[in-house]
Amino acid sequence: MARVHRTFFLLTLAAILLNSLGCASSNHAVQSKLQPVTFGEEQTALFPIRSTLKFAPSETDNAEAGSAEYGTMTVRDHEIGVRRLDGMIAVDSNLNHSFDDEASIPASGKPTTHTVRFDNETVEIVINAKPTGRAEYAVCELWQTPLRYGNESITIGVLRLGTGMAFIDTDADGTFETYWDKKTPKALGGRFWTLDLDYTARRASLMPSEQEPVEAGYQSPSIQATRLDSDQQVIVPHQNKVTLLLFCHKDCYGCRVSADTFETLSSRFAQNDQVRLVSVNRSDEEAAGCKAIVCPNFEHVVSAQSWDQFGVTPTPTFILVDADGTIRYRSSGAHNGLASELSQKIHTALQD
């Protein structure tokens, strides 16, 4: 009887575990709150929003209003109206054609700053009062959010422009280099994810993409690159050779402090015809910088698309591919013992 109870208990426990695993596998969404970040003068100057104001006679103002002209522009998610009347400019925040709560300002013909209020937010807009003028606002929304999945994590910056257009800073270096598009997966630790931004809830949601990961155990993509020193076209990783791909740039602190590691690897494998050490860069300038500062004795190639295809976000990133084209190891960041770790991985790939 005790054996029956024990068997029943084990089967029940197994069912619970399987059910919990099933629930976990069906709900891969990782959500994080968007945290506001101070928007500096540099970003204000770099990312203004501009729209054309085409003033036309207003059909809603009565005859007593005189020769009013009316135009519209989008600020954040709001459509606002701008009225020019008798040398004065007024703004209608909610398109109800009521300017009672808006202060009129002189329309001198020069760009004029005006503050628009939406609930608890204030936004400065600049209006050019010419008949066909331009309006712009330079106060956008800047957020930062950490996203974690298992042992992997990434901190991204989100720069929102206008009514939903956004740029993503995938490595939190202050450069918003990636246009956010729900259809284009983002790279995180060799896996690809779809990022969804909920502006109303101020929340970011990360979902795993169906795109095949580029990490240990998966087949490596084959990418055409150009050698820095000769403009020769090469294929990376190299066929029938164990290839260590290094993704780096000269301004990366982790890359610079790892220079001794790369020199050690070069000295250990320089004479081995079965091993290639390759620095993959996005431009000739980056490749030249890495050759001068980071890894002078590596083979330097240029292939901007490879960073996307290998799903590289942080630097330095190391990807070891065996002679059969299978990724054997992938890691990012600098740490003590890196030279020994990479050397052992290369030796193991050579022996298998």
Side-chain angles (χ1 to χ4, degrees), residues 297-318:
N297 294 313
F298 274 45
E299 177 183 351
H300 293 84
V301 302
V302 178
S303 175
Q305 71 271 22
S306 64
W307 286 60
D308 293 329
Q309 289 180 265
F310 278 98
V312 174
T313 303
T315 55
T317 287
F318 318 95

Side-chain angles (χ1 to χ4, degrees), residues 91-94 96-104 114-115 117:
V91 176
D92 170 19
S93 297
N94 54 13
N96 65 358
H97 295 278
S98 172
F99 298 88
D100 294 340
D101 58 345
E102 304 286 359
S104 296
H114 191 84
T115 299
R117 293 177 177 82

